[in-house]
Amino acid sequence: MQRKWMFTFILLVVGFMVAVQYNTVQQPSERDTRDIWAIRNELAKERKLHSELLTEVRALDETLDKYNASEEGNKGQALLETVEDLRQQAGITEQSGPGIVIDVVPSQESVAMGTPLHEISPELLTRFVNEVNRFKGLDMDIDGKRVTALSAIRDINGQTTVNGLPVTIPPFQIKILSPDIEKSEKLYNFLQSSSILDDFYLDDFILEINEPENNVKINGRSDQSENRYLKELPKGG
């Protein structure tokens, strides 16, 4: 008899757990209210990120294959080439290629009304950089200051700076390099219809976007990058 009651009690516990689990599945605590297009956009972002990661992994695999295929005497050359690629990615070296030049100038209305010239705010410059970074593989400098993923655009003592260097009051130029002329044309068309033009106009500035060119030159970073983790091994070590 005692065993029968024990068996009945176990069945009740199991039945209760199954009922709770079923109720949780049927009535989730937080319902996903996104429509199909929001889900598709989210999926597209994840696919884009996945593609970028695969590209980076492929590039690293190619570098490793280059080292493995090199003879002992050529490994030093392969290492130098890798270092040069990293210097370019870090924005240390001067570069040239297809791109566009943008003249940042005061608006005609502000000049006609005698509005005092003023500098561009860090927030506006940051919005511009974020807008351009919708396109991948670009290199940029703002007023001769190289902009990379590690660059800081901020206010220092009331002055807008890029990499700690002050940005002059307009007019000045923004230069953007693309991998090829076709991507420069896409960027040109994108910026022509971008709302960032209105953002600059509201701050009394005009972006004069020149047509793509085959040979645009941008500066390398003039500031020194800080090395926090790499340590030089002792000679012979």
Side-chain angles (χ1 to χ4, degrees), residues 48-141:
K48 185 177 181 180
L49 177 60
H50 182 253
S51 176
E52 292 173 358
L53 291 175
L54 286 178
T55 301
E56 292 183 11
V57 170
R58 191 177 299 113
L60 292 174
D61 285 340
E62 290 175 357
T63 301
L64 184 60
D65 291 340
K66 186 189 300 183
Y67 288 150
N68 293 333
S70 299
E71 298 179 0
E72 192 66 30
N74 293 331
K75 287 185 177 180
Q77 181 61 33
L79 181 59
L80 290 175
E81 292 175 359
T82 301
V83 170
E84 183 62 24
D85 289 341
L86 293 175
R87 285 172 58 86
Q88 290 186 8
Q89 293 178 29
I92 297 175
T93 59
E94 182 182 276
Q95 287 184 259
S96 62
I100 60 175
V101 177
I102 301 173
D103 293 298
V104 184
V105 300
S107 66
Q108 294 180 354
E109 290 80 1
S110 66
V111 173
M113 295 177 63
T115 303
L117 298 178
H118 60 90
E119 60 186 17
I120 292 180
S121 68
E123 293 77 18
L124 183 56
L125 271 186
T126 300
R127 286 206 300 272
F128 174 81
V129 172
N130 290 338
E131 191 80 353
V132 170
N133 282 339
R134 293 170 181 261
F135 294 78
K136 300 299 180 181
L138 303 180
D139 294 291
M140 181 190 328
D141 84 15

Side-chain angles (χ1 to χ4, degrees), residues 34-41:
R34 295 177 299 175
D35 59 21
I36 186 63
W37 288 110
I39 296 175
R40 286 169 65 92
N41 288 336

Side-chain angles (χ1 to χ4, degrees), residues 131-164:
E131 191 80 353
V132 170
N133 282 339
R134 293 170 181 261
F135 294 78
K136 300 299 180 181
L138 303 180
D139 294 291
M140 181 190 328
D141 84 15
I142 297 176
D143 189 28
K145 287 83 175 170
R146 186 66 173 270
V147 178
T148 68
L150 300 178
S151 293
I153 301 175
R154 56 191 174 195
D155 184 298
I156 298 180
N157 296 327
Q159 195 167 26
T160 301
T161 64
V162 175
N163 301 326

Side-chain angles (χ1 to χ4, degrees), residues 1-68:
M1 188 68 177
Q2 183 178 0
R3 182 177 298 178
K4 182 177 179 181
W5 279 108
M6 182 66 70
F7 183 70
T8 302
F9 177 74
I10 293 174
L11 288 179
L12 286 173
V13 172
V14 172
F16 176 75
M17 295 175 63
V18 170
V20 170
Q21 184 177 9
Y22 177 81
N23 187 63
T24 302
V25 172
Q26 294 299 317
Q27 299 179 359
S29 58
E30 186 174 339
R31 185 179 179 185
D32 192 344
T33 58
R34 295 177 299 175
D35 59 21
I36 186 63
W37 288 110
I39 296 175
R40 286 169 65 92
N41 288 336
E42 193 69 25
L43 180 59
K45 291 179 181 178
E46 293 298 327
R47 285 181 174 176
K48 185 177 181 180
L49 177 60
H50 182 253
S51 176
E52 292 173 358
L53 291 175
L54 286 178
T55 301
E56 292 183 11
V57 170
R58 191 177 299 113
L60 292 174
D61 285 340
E62 290 175 357
T63 301
L64 184 60
D65 291 340
K66 186 189 300 183
Y67 288 150
N68 293 333

Side-chain angles (χ1 to χ4, degrees), residues 19 64 113 133 152 174-175 206 231:
L64 184 60
M113 295 177 63
N133 282 339
I174 298 175
K175 300 178 181 179
I206 297 292
K231 303 296 181 183

